């Protein structure tokens, strides 16, 4: 039986990946020290996901309470499974811009050095494995803020004739821009994963996503905007919009579409390639549009206020251009709409996110 190693296994992407590979008959080794609770408090804890994962997968799943910064323990774990490991999904990360600014050393150690530890263990102990690194669109920083945006009724947008109208491509610059400390640590990890593919021939793939959403998302104020809007509405919390009049745009990708991308990469790995992968223009949304959609789905009304200023390094607009990924993997496509994503999150949390 081949083994899939998944870091960040109790998180949204990690838990979905664990279920996905177990359903394909693989044994899943999950690595997660549940540090998200340290980042975001009890509201952001992924421990409920871990309990369900161990209950549902049974003997097909082995959980390891390991910190990716712990080189010795990580080395022993990879040695134990060795060449049986055919897939590594690295989804463990510190995911918050604000948190990174408060503790940049810990952020960098987890996101950059932790990624180095995973990559080097794959190189040493399972060099034939496909290694998927879950990167971030924040590697591009905030240079998009300088684009010629037009203010629409509910969003900022680009003119249809602009080259980025369908989304930001991989050729976008990464220099002379504010990344935030989180963006810097993710960019360092991103380039490391590419280089392990190009220098060592490790079968790495870098997937740069923005908003990845699904029913298991532990939505908090600092991470997971669509889910946190819905959670605030369902729990009767007032929602404070910060920056750009609530018209800042993001695109949302469902975990099932991300997993389909994993499968495409595993079937035809291209060492060292980096891809933008997101919800595209079809699944793009502003904060105001998410609030309106959440109210329509729930039938509830949200108390909304607007704060002065904006988050450090925040972007006015981000839509992902998936063209390169779709050229390399033409059978992949987005299957879940933004509305479906929010409906799933609402239904999955109807009993616990209550007023």
């Amino acid at each position: 039986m081949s083994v899939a190693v998944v870091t960040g296994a109790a998180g949204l992407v990690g838990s979905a990946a664990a279920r996905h590979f177990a359903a394909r008959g693989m044994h899943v080794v999950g690595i997660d020290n549940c540090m998200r609770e340290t980042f975001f408090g009890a509201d952001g804890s992924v421990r409920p996901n871990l309990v369900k994962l161990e209950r549902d997968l049974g003997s097909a799943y082995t959980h390891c309470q390991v910190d990716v910064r712990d080189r010795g323990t990580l080395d022993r774990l990879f040695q134990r499974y060795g060449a049986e490991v055919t897939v590594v999904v690295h989804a463990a990360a510190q995911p918050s811009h604000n948190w990174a600014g408060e503790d940049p050393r810990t952020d960098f150690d987890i996101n950059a050095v932790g990624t180095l530890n995973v990559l080097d263990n794959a190189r040493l102990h399972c060099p034939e494995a496909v290694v998927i690194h879950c990167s971030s669109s924040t590697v591009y920083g905030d240079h998009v803020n300088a684009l010629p945006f037009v203010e629409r009724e509910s969003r900022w947008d680009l003119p249809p004739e602009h080259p980025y109208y369908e989304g930001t491509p991989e050729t976008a610059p990464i220099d002379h821009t504010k990344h935030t400390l989180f963006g810097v640590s993710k960019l360092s990890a991103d380039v490391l994963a590419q280089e392990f593919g190009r220098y060592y021939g490790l079968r790495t793939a870098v997937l740069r996503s923005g908003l990845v959403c699904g029913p298991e998302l532990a939505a908090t104020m600092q991470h997971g905007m669509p889910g946190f809007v819905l959670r605030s509405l369902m729990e009767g919390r007032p929602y404070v919009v910060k920056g750009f009049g609530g018209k800042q745009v993001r695109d949302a990708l469902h975990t099932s579409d991300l997993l389909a991308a994993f499968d495409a990469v595993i079937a035809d790995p291209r060492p060292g390639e980096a891809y933008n992968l997101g919800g595209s223009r079809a699944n793009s949304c502003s904060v105001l549009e998410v609030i309106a959609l959440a109210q329509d789905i729930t039938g509830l009304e949200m108390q909304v206020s607007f704060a002065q200023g904006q988050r450090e390094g925040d972007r006015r607009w981000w839509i992902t251009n998936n063209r390169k990924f779709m050229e390399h993997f033409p059978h992949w496509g987005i299957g879940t709409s933004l509305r479906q994503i929010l409906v799933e999150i609402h239904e999955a949390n109807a009993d616990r996110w209550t007023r």
Side-chain angles (χ1 to χ4, degrees), residues 229-237 291-303 346 353-355:
V229 167
L230 191 59
R231 179 176 189 169
S232 299
L233 177 59
M234 293 168 68
E235 293 182 341
R237 304 185 193 182
I291 291 171
L293 185 55
Q295 290 181 145
D296 182 60
I297 289 169
T298 62
L300 302 172
E301 187 172 345
M302 174 171 274
Q303 300 176 43
H346 173 248
W353 292 352
T354 57
R355 297 193 170 217

Side-chain angles (χ1 to χ4, degrees), residues 43-265:
D43 278 359
S45 176
V46 294
R47 292 186 188 279
N49 282 350
L50 177 57
V51 170
K52 288 190 289 185
L53 204 59
E54 292 184 308
R55 179 195 66 202
D56 295 345
L57 300 188
S59 62
Y61 180 78
T62 299
H63 189 76
C64 302
Q65 192 85 6
V66 177
D67 191 320
V68 291
R69 295 172 292 176
D70 184 347
R71 293 183 183 181
T73 304
L74 208 59
D75 179 68
R76 289 190 292 274
L77 192 153
F78 271 85
Q79 278 191 61
R80 175 183 172 187
Y81 292 98
E84 294 177 12
V85 178
T86 57
V87 177
V88 178
V89 172
H90 181 42
Q94 189 295 113
S96 168
H97 295 272
N98 293 348
W99 204 95
E102 294 170 3
D103 190 348
R105 289 179 184 271
T106 299
D107 172 78
F108 196 86
D109 280 346
I110 294 170
N111 290 354
V113 180
T115 298
L116 175 60
N117 294 340
V118 171
L119 290 168
D120 207 34
N121 274 295
R123 175 182 73 89
L124 294 171
H125 303 301
C126 49
E128 298 303 313
V130 175
V131 181
I132 298 172
H133 173 59
C134 298
S135 187
S136 167
S137 64
T138 58
V139 301
Y140 296 106
D142 68 352
H143 87 94
V144 293
N145 285 350
L147 298 177
F149 292 111
V150 178
E151 188 173 5
R152 309 294 188 194
E153 182 179 353
S154 62
R155 64 163 61 190
W156 292 97
D157 210 347
L158 289 171
E161 63 273 14
H162 194 277
Y164 283 17
Y165 180 76
E166 291 299 333
T168 308
E170 290 82 358
T171 52
I174 61 171
D175 294 324
H176 311 295
T177 178
K178 181 178 287 185
H179 291 84
T180 76
L181 277 302
F182 165 76
V184 170
S185 65
K186 291 298 288 185
L187 176 58
S188 302
D190 183 302
V191 177
L192 273 170
Q194 291 182 58
E195 197 60 21
F196 266 71
R198 297 181 188 280
Y199 190 86
Y200 293 117
L202 192 65
R203 300 200 288 178
T204 60
V206 174
L207 303 182
R208 297 169 175 165
S209 300
L211 289 174
V212 179
C213 299
E216 294 83 13
L217 177 65
T220 71
M221 182 170 63
Q222 295 188 54
H223 188 244
M225 181 270 291
F228 186 65
V229 167
L230 191 59
R231 179 176 189 169
S232 299
L233 177 59
M234 293 168 68
E235 293 182 341
R237 304 185 193 182
Y239 190 83
V240 180
V241 177
K242 191 166 186 179
F244 305 115
K247 296 184 178 183
Q248 60 268 53
V249 171
R250 300 291 185 268
D251 59 343
L253 183 71
H254 193 274
T255 48
S256 61
D257 293 326
L258 182 59
L259 295 173
F262 289 178
D263 283 344
V265 167

